[in-house]
Amino acid sequence: MDGLFSRPHRARTTAVAGTFVLVAFAGLALGTAMPVAVQELDGLSLYALAFGGFLAASVVGTVVGGGHADRRGPGPALFAGLLCFAAGTLLAGTAGSMPPFLLGRCVQGLGGGAVTVALYVVVGRAYPAPLRPRMFSLITACWILPSMLGPPVAGAVTERLSWRWVFHAIAVLSVVVMVVLLRPLRKVGPPEAVGTPEAAGTPVGETATRRARAAVTVAVGAGLIGYAGSAKGRQALPLAALGLTLLALSVRTLLPPGTLRARRGLPSLVLLRGVAAAAYFTVESFIPLMLVNERGISPTAAGMSLTGAALSWAGASWLQGRPDLPVTRERVVLIGALVHFCAAALTIAGVLRALPAATAAVGLVVAGFGMGLLLPGVGVLTLDRSAPDRQGADSAALQLADNLCSVLLVGACGAAFNAAHTRAGHDAGAFALVFAVAATVAGGACLLAGRVTAVNTSDPRAEEKEHAPL
């Protein structure tokens, strides 16, 4: 069997890897600069919304990009996503106040969602099943160099020049990747059976337009919930109620039937992805802020916790991609969930001043190892159980669950942090509360990890059953 860098796959593998290097570098660099940016723009109370807005907009990019990739191939969705991501990064980097900064983050999210789901479709459509675990390992390995360079370089630039230079550099790199690496990915076309809603990855009776409208409704609802977490006074409760109502009206349209009930098989895979990612992303979002504001650590040193987490994630992903694993992939996912939960619990202790500040950073590093086992396994199982003309829709469902659950949890934790916030340097209780909530959610992921094995994959109608309505 040909390898990832054999002649048939070399150009495509290099293009996918290069794009993920950009995604990794952007995420780590911008995360390092974010605490300084929101402080300079006098927007500490909107810190969680800066992440939540990105994730909410990603919902639209994910759904629209996934549907377009199923119908037309992933190339156009990738091109549009990179262009949108660059524009949003430039807008945020030139913002003089929080409103345009938040708008830029939303435009970033719109593009980032389309890029990620398009790349998932490339993996599912252009590589045979035995190569997919190795491809996911390579994708995770793409975080190694950015994790070593991104936080320290972004921290140094932020301290010596300005956080704006970090955003401007990411915008330029996005355009470079779009120009240089897009051509090999354009060669991956749509599946042969196109022209019907079913072939485009859209459930029977729905159109791409309806799914796009549902995605916008979900994104608005998620954004309102995220804003409610940062709002003060009596505004918060009505905003949160309206946001939850919008989510309830539309989210079922975009997820496999049975997802919200944790039905065994594909629905539980999708929900597990969302719950686990939400817990991890919440911890990852607040640890740099805790280290800088509560412990007085420099942005460069705080950013190194992201480096350690990315390296441990890459190591675990390489481990799960080995062809000689002694356990099933479902068991690997369960082990990853358990490690993630234990690490999330450790971050609570990292808030205590009696312990070194590195305790919280260690918790994030161990959590990264757990996620390196869990997320690639979920991605491989999902692609294996998806028909070629549903890989975009099912990959979009994974990303949607990831983004939506993260928006909800980050928004809730942002509200909890604001309620418990006193002043910088005296917020140990507020941070402990945030990490305790994240650890509880990570515990829920452990329960979901036990529900991904029930579908009989030897049954030729297993995939049909997983998508059948209740």
Side-chain angles (χ1 to χ4, degrees):
M1 182 181 64
D2 295 325
L4 293 178
F5 289 97
S6 60
R7 184 178 297 274
H9 300 298
R10 184 184 304 136
R12 188 178 302 116
T13 298
T14 302
V16 172
T19 308
F20 270 107
V21 167
L22 168 68
V23 172
F25 187 82
L28 292 165
L30 297 179
T32 300
M34 197 74 69
V36 177
V38 297
Q39 288 187 47
E40 182 177 312
L41 297 175
D42 194 25
L44 184 59
S45 64
L46 299 174
Y47 180 78
L49 188 58
F51 288 95
F54 177 95
L55 295 173
S58 295
V59 170
V60 180
T62 294
V63 173
V64 174
H68 198 277
D70 275 338
R71 296 189 303 274
R72 305 296 183 188
L78 183 62
F79 179 87
L82 285 170
L83 186 62
C84 193
F85 184 83
T89 306
L90 184 62
L91 176 59
T94 56
S97 60
M98 281 302 290
F101 181 83
L102 294 175
L103 177 60
R105 288 288 289 167
C106 289
V107 177
Q108 270 186 316
L110 188 66
V115 168
T116 303
V117 74
L119 291 174
Y120 263 66
V121 173
V122 172
V123 174
R125 195 166 293 161
Y127 295 90
L131 284 183
R132 290 171 191 163
R134 300 185 205 176
M135 193 62 202
F136 277 108
S137 296
L138 176 63
I139 288 171
T140 306
C142 293
W143 288 71
I144 294 178
L145 186 61
S147 68
M148 297 175 67
L149 297 179
V153 169
V157 170
T158 299
E159 293 174 19
R160 291 174 172 80
L161 297 174
S162 169
W163 61 268
R164 298 181 186 276
W165 285 92
V166 177
F167 281 75
H168 295 158
I170 296 298
V172 172
L173 288 175
S174 300
V175 175
V176 171
V177 168
M178 179 177 61
V179 173
V180 175
L181 298 177
L182 187 61
R183 181 175 296 177
L185 301 184
R186 283 179 183 253
K187 298 179 182 179
V188 183
E192 294 181 1
V194 294
T196 65
E198 295 89 341
T202 306
V204 176
E206 293 179 2
T207 64
T209 301
R210 182 180 176 186
R211 285 176 61 80
R213 288 174 180 170
V216 172
T217 303
V218 168
V220 172
L224 288 173
I225 293 172
Y227 183 72
S230 304
K232 297 181 180 180
R234 298 179 178 179
Q235 292 181 339
L237 188 58
L239 288 174
L242 178 57
L244 289 172
T245 301
L246 292 176
L247 289 182
L249 291 174
S250 301
V251 72
R252 289 178 182 271
T253 301
L254 305 174
L255 297 173
T259 298
L260 300 182
R261 300 183 186 183
R263 192 165 101 184
R264 291 184 178 273
L266 181 62
S268 286
L269 277 170
V270 171
L271 188 58
L272 170 60
R273 168 67 180 261
V275 170
Y280 180 83
F281 192 81
T282 299
V283 170
E284 185 188 58
S285 298
F286 279 89
I287 277 186
L289 184 65
M290 188 272 288
L291 293 175
V292 172
N293 280 18
E294 188 68 18
R295 293 301 191 98
I297 304 298
S298 70
T300 302
M304 293 306 293
S305 64
L306 302 178
T307 298
L311 291 175
S312 65
W313 188 317
S317 182
W318 172 84
L319 184 64
Q320 68 81 36
R322 291 179 59 85
D324 55 349
L325 283 177
V327 296
T328 64
R329 192 154 302 281
E330 290 85 354
R331 183 58 60 90
V332 172
V333 168
L334 177 58
I335 293 172
L338 292 171
V339 172
H340 179 216
F341 166 68
C342 294
L346 180 61
T347 61
I348 304 172
V351 177
L352 302 175
R353 290 190 174 274
L355 296 176
T359 304
V362 170
L364 182 60
V365 171
V366 178
F369 187 88
M371 292 294 283
L373 295 176
L374 189 154
L375 255 63
V378 169
V380 170
L381 290 172
T382 300
L383 289 175
D384 287 348
R385 297 176 183 180
S386 299
D389 59 0
R390 283 203 58 88
Q391 288 172 341
D394 290 342
S395 296
L398 284 181
Q399 299 298 326
L400 170 63
D402 186 321
N403 294 340
L404 183 56
C405 290
S406 296
V407 168
L408 294 176
L409 190 59
V410 170
C413 288
F417 178 82
N418 288 336
H421 169 66
T422 54
R423 65 182 187 277
H426 297 79
D427 281 334
F431 284 110
L433 177 60
V434 168
F435 297 147
V437 172
T440 302
V441 174
C446 296
L447 299 178
L448 288 170
R451 298 183 60 82
V452 302
T453 60
V455 172
N456 181 11
T457 55
S458 64
D459 181 352
R461 299 187 62 191
E463 192 273 340
E464 177 185 344
K465 293 176 182 178
E466 290 196 23
H467 290 96
L470 291 175

